[in-house]
Amino acid sequence: MIKTNLKVLQLIEKIARDTANVILKTFKKGEYIVQQNEKPKIVYIIKKGITKCFITEENGKDYVLDFSSAGEIIGEVELLTHKDQYFSTIEALTILEVYVIPKVVFDQLNNEDNDFNMLIKEVLAHRLMNTSKRSSYQQIYPLLYSVLKIIYDFGQLDEHISKQDLANYLGITVRSLNRTLQELVDKKIITINEVDNFEIKNAPLLIKTIEQFY
Amino acid sequence: MIKTNLKVLQLIEKIARDTANVILKTFKKGEYIVQQNEKPKIVYIIKKGITKCFITEENGKDYVLDFSSAGEIIGEVELLTHKDQYFSTIEALTILEVYVIPKVVFDQLNNEDNDFNMLIKEVLAHRLMNTSKRSSYQQIYPLLYSVLKIIYDFGQLDEHISKQDLANYLGITVRSLNRTLQELVDKKIITINEVDNFEIKNAPLLIKTIEQFY
DNA sequence: CGAAACGTTGATCGTCATCAATGACGGTGG
DNA sequence: CCACCGTCATTGATGACGATCAACGTTTCG
C-alpha cells in the first residue's frame, strides 16, 4: 500500500496558509529528499507525489520500508530522537511537492500546537504497529505468503513502483520475485498484464491460498 | 538488548507521587499484562522486572518484538491509534511491578503534560527506528549474521530470557538457534557456559565475522 | 533409615532427508 | 539493449528421529 494521511495534509495546509515559515519545494523523479547518514535539519510533509523510504545495508542491498504519498511526514523520527543522521533514504518516485518545515518550526509546532501533537503521535504509533506486524509475518511465513499478502494489500501495483522496488520491499531479488509471481500465474491466482503489472484474477483462490499457511 | 527508559520512569514516579490516579500493580512471572486481541483500556509503565512483547501469528507461531524493563511503556500504541485490539501480547518474564495508567489519565497527560508529550514521541520514534532497522537486517542478511549481531548487542543472555524466547526473537526454532550457536562455538567465537548461556570468547573474531557479510 | 538403582522428563545434538530461496548463465523476444 | 524466463547447481534453513545426558524423584533393598 501507498500510505497517505489526509488529516496531516489538511493541518499543514492550514499552517502554510497562516504563516510564512512553511514553504513548498519540488523534487524531480529519482531525487533524494533526505539521504541516509546525512545530518537531519528539516522535516518534510508530502503534498503530492509518491516516495519510497529505504535503508541501505552495509553490503549495499536496499530494504524498502514503505511507499508514501500525500500527508506523510519525512524526517520527524530523527529530529524527535535527536539523531545526527537520517537512518533511511527517501526517494521521489514521481515529481514530488513537499512542504518544507525547518527544525525550529517543527520544534515550535511540537511545543505549541496540540492538534499537531496528537497527529504526530498517531502517525508514529501507526507506523510502529505496521512495521512490527510486517516484520513479524515476513519472518514467520515463507516468501509465497508475503507475496500473496502484498498482492492482496496493493490490489494492483502502482505504475510508479518498479519490480525492483517491490522486490526490495520484500527483501529479495527481482529474479526471485518473478519466479514467485510466475508460480501464482501458473496457479491462476493472478495474471500479468501489458503494463508490467499484475492483476488479481481469482480473489477467493488468493484468500484460500493465504489461509493454507495457517 | 533489554530496553529501559529512565526518563519515563522518573516522570511517572513524579506523577504517581503527586496524584492518586496512578497506582501500582504486580504480576507474577508468566502472566500476561496485556493480551493480543483484547480491548485496550489501560497503559502500563514498567517499574521493575522484565517483559517480552510478542505477536502470535495465525499459524500459532510467536514473533518476539522486544524485551523491556524499567520505564518502558505498554499499550500506548493502541490507545493513540484508537484501535480496539492490542496487536501484541506482553508477558512478564519475572515478577513485575507496573504503574497502571487508565485511559482517562493517559488522555489527560497527552493533553496537558508537555514533558510527557515530548517523551512519548521520543519513545515512539526510537521504537520505530529500531524496529525498522531490525526488520531490514533480518530480511537482508542470513541467519548467522543476525545471531552474531544479537550476541554482540546482548553481550550475554539475561538469565530470564529463555532460548525459546531468543529463537522467537529471531523468528526461528530452538533447534535452528542451537545449530547456529554450535557453529559459533566450533569457530571459537563464543563458549557455552554452565547456566545454559553463551559468552563471547573472541570479540575481535566476532566483529570480523560480522564484517565478512559486507 | 539411607544409599544405590531405576525410571521419567526435558533439553540438546548428530545425522540425514527435504524444502525454500538464491545465483549463474544462456536464450528469447520486444 | 533490457527485461524476463528456463534450467540447473548450490546454499540456507528446517523437520524428523533417535541417541545421549543431566536433573529429579521414587523405588528397592541391605
Side-chain angles (χ1 to χ4, degrees):
Chain A
M1 301 148 283
I2 299 175
K3 293 192 302 178
T4 60
N5 192 322
L6 287 188
K7 284 193 280 185
V8 171
L9 185 65
Q10 281 166 11
L11 184 72
I12 195 63
E13 282 181 339
K14 184 173 180 308
I15 292 169
R17 266 197 305 272
D18 294 350
T19 79
N21 292 329
V22 173
I23 59 165
L24 271 175
K25 184 168 175 182
T26 303
F27 289 90
K28 294 193 200 102
K29 179 174 171 171
E31 282 188 309
Y32 294 157
I33 290 75
V34 310
Q35 201 166 352
Q36 194 170 329
N37 299 334
E38 266 184 3
K39 191 166 162 53
K41 293 193 193 82
I42 297 173
V43 166
Y44 301 90
I45 294 179
I46 302 174
K47 176 179 163 68
K48 199 154 181 278
I50 299 173
T51 62
K52 72 169 173 190
C53 169
F54 64 97
I55 291 178
T56 304
E57 292 289 341
E58 306 225 34
N59 66 0
K61 291 188 186 171
D62 292 341
Y63 180 71
V64 172
L65 293 170
D66 54 46
F67 302 101
S68 297
S69 187
E72 288 297 316
I73 311 175
I74 293 169
E76 82 290 12
V77 168
E78 289 83 354
L79 287 193
L80 287 172
T81 55
H82 315 292
K83 295 284 170 188
D84 60 355
Q85 298 193 332
Y86 288 111
F87 78 97
S88 64
T89 300
I90 314 282
E91 179 185 332
L93 295 185
T94 64
I95 293 180
L96 194 78
E97 278 182 84
V98 293
Y99 291 101
V100 177
I101 302 159
K103 183 174 179 337
V104 282
V105 178
F106 182 70
D107 289 343
Q108 188 188 334
L109 286 171
N110 269 309
N111 285 319
E112 298 170 12
D113 190 321
N114 218 348
D115 293 340
F116 183 83
N117 247 302
M118 283 314 287
L119 269 184
I120 205 160
K121 278 182 286 188
E122 199 178 317
V123 164
L124 289 169
H126 259 116
R127 282 233 279 271
L128 180 56
M129 198 174 65
N130 291 335
T131 307
S132 301
K133 283 184 179 175
R134 180 152 81 99
S135 184
S136 175
Y137 76 69
Q138 284 196 349
Q139 288 295 323
I140 296 295
Y141 293 109
L143 178 55
L144 184 60
Y145 176 89
S146 296
V147 173
L148 284 167
K149 203 162 162 51
I150 283 175
I151 289 176
Y152 184 71
D153 287 347
F154 278 71
Q156 63 174 49
L157 203 57
D158 186 279
E159 56 171 327
H160 300 103
I161 298 177
S162 71
K163 276 200 173 170
Q164 181 65 62
D165 292 335
L166 191 60
N168 289 345
Y169 184 84
L170 288 157
I172 60 175
T173 59
V174 174
R175 183 75 193 87
S176 293
L177 174 59
N178 279 332
R179 254 192 289 250
T180 309
L181 288 176
Q182 186 58 50
E183 202 179 324
L184 295 178
V185 171
D186 293 346
K187 288 184 180 172
K188 304 191 192 305
I189 294 174
I190 62 169
T191 53
I192 306 287
N193 66 30
E194 325 78 54
V195 278
D196 272 354
N197 217 325
F198 55 75
E199 211 176 308
I200 299 173
K201 191 182 177 187
N202 190 335
L205 182 56
L206 189 155
I207 292 168
K208 201 176 142 224
T209 312
I210 287 181
E211 285 170 355
Q212 278 171 5
F213 287 97
Y214 299 159
Chain B
M1 299 148 286
I2 299 176
K3 293 192 303 178
T4 59
N5 193 322
L6 287 188
K7 284 193 279 184
V8 170
L9 185 65
Q10 281 165 13
L11 184 72
I12 195 64
E13 282 180 339
K14 184 173 179 307
I15 292 169
R17 267 197 305 273
D18 295 351
T19 78
N21 294 328
V22 173
I23 60 164
L24 271 174
K25 183 168 175 182
T26 303
F27 289 91
K28 296 194 200 100
K29 179 174 171 173
E31 283 187 310
Y32 295 156
I33 291 75
V34 310
Q35 201 165 352
Q36 194 170 329
N37 299 334
E38 266 183 4
K39 192 167 161 56
K41 294 192 191 82
I42 297 172
V43 165
Y44 301 89
I45 294 178
I46 302 174
K47 176 179 164 69
K48 200 155 181 274
I50 299 174
T51 63
K52 73 169 172 189
C53 168
F54 64 99
I55 291 178
T56 304
E57 292 290 341
E58 305 226 35
N59 66 1
K61 291 188 184 170
D62 291 341
Y63 180 71
V64 172
L65 292 170
D66 53 46
F67 302 102
S68 297
S69 187
E72 289 297 318
I73 312 175
I74 293 169
E76 82 290 12
V77 167
E78 289 83 353
L79 287 193
L80 287 172
T81 55
H82 314 293
K83 294 285 171 187
D84 59 355
Q85 297 192 332
Y86 288 111
F87 78 97
S88 65
T89 300
I90 314 282
E91 178 184 334
L93 295 184
T94 65
I95 292 180
L96 194 79
E97 279 182 83
V98 293
Y99 293 101
V100 178
I101 302 160
K103 183 175 179 336
V104 284
V105 178
F106 182 70
D107 289 343
Q108 188 188 335
L109 286 170
N110 270 308
N111 285 319
E112 297 169 13
D113 191 320
N114 217 348
D115 292 341
F116 183 83
N117 247 303
M118 283 314 286
L119 268 184
I120 205 161
K121 278 183 287 188
E122 200 178 317
V123 164
L124 289 169
H126 259 115
R127 282 234 279 270
L128 181 55
M129 197 174 67
N130 290 335
T131 306
S132 301
K133 284 183 179 175
R134 180 152 81 98
S135 183
S136 175
Y137 77 70
Q138 284 195 349
Q139 288 294 323
I140 296 295
Y141 294 109
L143 178 56
L144 183 59
Y145 176 89
S146 294
V147 173
L148 284 166
K149 203 163 164 51
I150 283 174
I151 289 176
Y152 184 73
D153 287 346
F154 279 71
Q156 64 175 47
L157 202 57
D158 186 279
E159 56 170 327
H160 300 104
I161 298 178
S162 70
K163 277 200 172 169
Q164 181 66 62
D165 291 336
L166 192 60
N168 289 345
Y169 184 82
L170 288 156
I172 59 175
T173 60
V174 174
R175 183 74 192 89
S176 292
L177 174 59
N178 278 333
R179 254 192 288 249
T180 309
L181 288 176
Q182 187 58 48
E183 201 180 325
L184 295 177
V185 171
D186 292 346
K187 288 183 179 172
K188 302 189 195 305
I189 295 174
I190 62 170
T191 53
I192 306 287
N193 68 28
E194 324 79 54
V195 277
D196 273 353
N197 219 322
F198 56 76
E199 213 176 307
I200 298 173
K201 192 183 175 185
N202 189 335
L205 182 55
L206 188 156
I207 292 168
K208 200 175 143 226
T209 312
I210 287 182
E211 284 169 354
Q212 279 171 5
F213 287 97
Y214 299 160

